[in-house]
Amino acid sequence: MDCLFCKIINKELPAKIIYEDEKYLAFLDINPITAGHTLLILKDHVDNFTHLSDQQAADLASMIHKIAPKIIEILGADAYNLGINNGAAAGQIIDHVHWHIIPRYSDDALVHWSCDNQAKEQLDNVFSKLENKL
Ligand code: AMP
Ligand code: ZN
């Protein structure tokens, strides 16, 4: 399969692997947003978060809950962001589910998300679409 992350799993491509077991791999992002930016992946090839089974999603969340605080503690970071870019419009480039762990430092240069005024105008409309539908 022509998947860059499967190639890393199969050791056909090098990566700075910081954790590995039979189901998961965590390695440093080659273009880090902050120091310690890490990707956690499942060894099973699943293209995006929507296509994970309930069990895979739960297991992945459990693993991120386990390793993210350790990364932050070891690196002496102050906080962390977690993120999954799901789909091209959301910025997903690699079609193998990966969870970004982004250590944050009180003096880092990352900007916070900001409010979009057009989205704010749609709050009532969006609420009426979603309320009690999930
Ligand atoms: P996304 O935009 O969510 O699909 O994120 C893909 C991430 O993979 C980006 O942050 C890239 O910097 C990272 N990346 C791409 N190729 C490699 C690689 N060979 N080793 C480590 N990280 C990579
Ligand atoms: Zn893959």
Side-chain angles (χ1 to χ4, degrees):
M1 178 181 300
D2 194 25
C3 168
L4 195 138
F5 286 174
C6 282
K7 287 181 179 155
I8 289 177
I9 292 164
N10 295 328
K11 311 287 167 17
E12 294 164 23
L13 281 176
K16 295 196 185 321
I17 294 169
I18 61 170
Y19 178 83
E20 179 166 18
D21 65 22
E22 68 280 0
K23 281 164 96 173
Y24 306 98
L25 200 65
F27 53 97
L28 299 183
D29 195 295
I30 204 167
N31 291 314
I33 299 174
T34 63
H37 181 179
T38 296
L39 302 175
L40 174 67
I41 65 174
L42 276 175
K43 286 189 170 175
D44 291 333
H45 179 90
V46 179
D47 62 348
N48 68 39
F49 188 74
T50 308
H51 294 148
L52 292 175
S53 67
D54 282 354
Q55 191 63 56
Q56 285 173 320
D59 288 351
L60 198 56
S62 175
M63 183 54 69
I64 206 108
H65 183 252
K66 188 169 143 188
I67 70 168
K70 286 190 183 165
I71 292 171
I72 271 48
E73 185 188 344
I74 292 167
L75 295 181
D78 299 306
Y80 57 98
N81 293 114
L82 300 175
I84 298 176
N85 299 326
N86 204 56
Q92 184 176 8
I93 294 166
I94 311 277
D95 288 332
H96 182 132
V97 181
H98 49 284
W99 207 321
H100 295 259
I101 304 162
I102 302 166
R104 297 300 304 269
Y105 306 86
S106 52
D107 58 351
D108 71 38
L110 272 191
V111 289
H112 289 293
W113 290 346
S114 59
C115 171
D116 176 80
N117 285 331
Q118 283 187 331
K120 193 164 184 171
E121 283 166 16
Q122 294 174 52
L123 265 176
D124 287 340
N125 180 30
V126 169
F127 182 58
S128 67
K129 285 182 183 165
L130 292 177
E131 188 183 17
N132 296 325
K133 304 285 191 331
L134 304 181

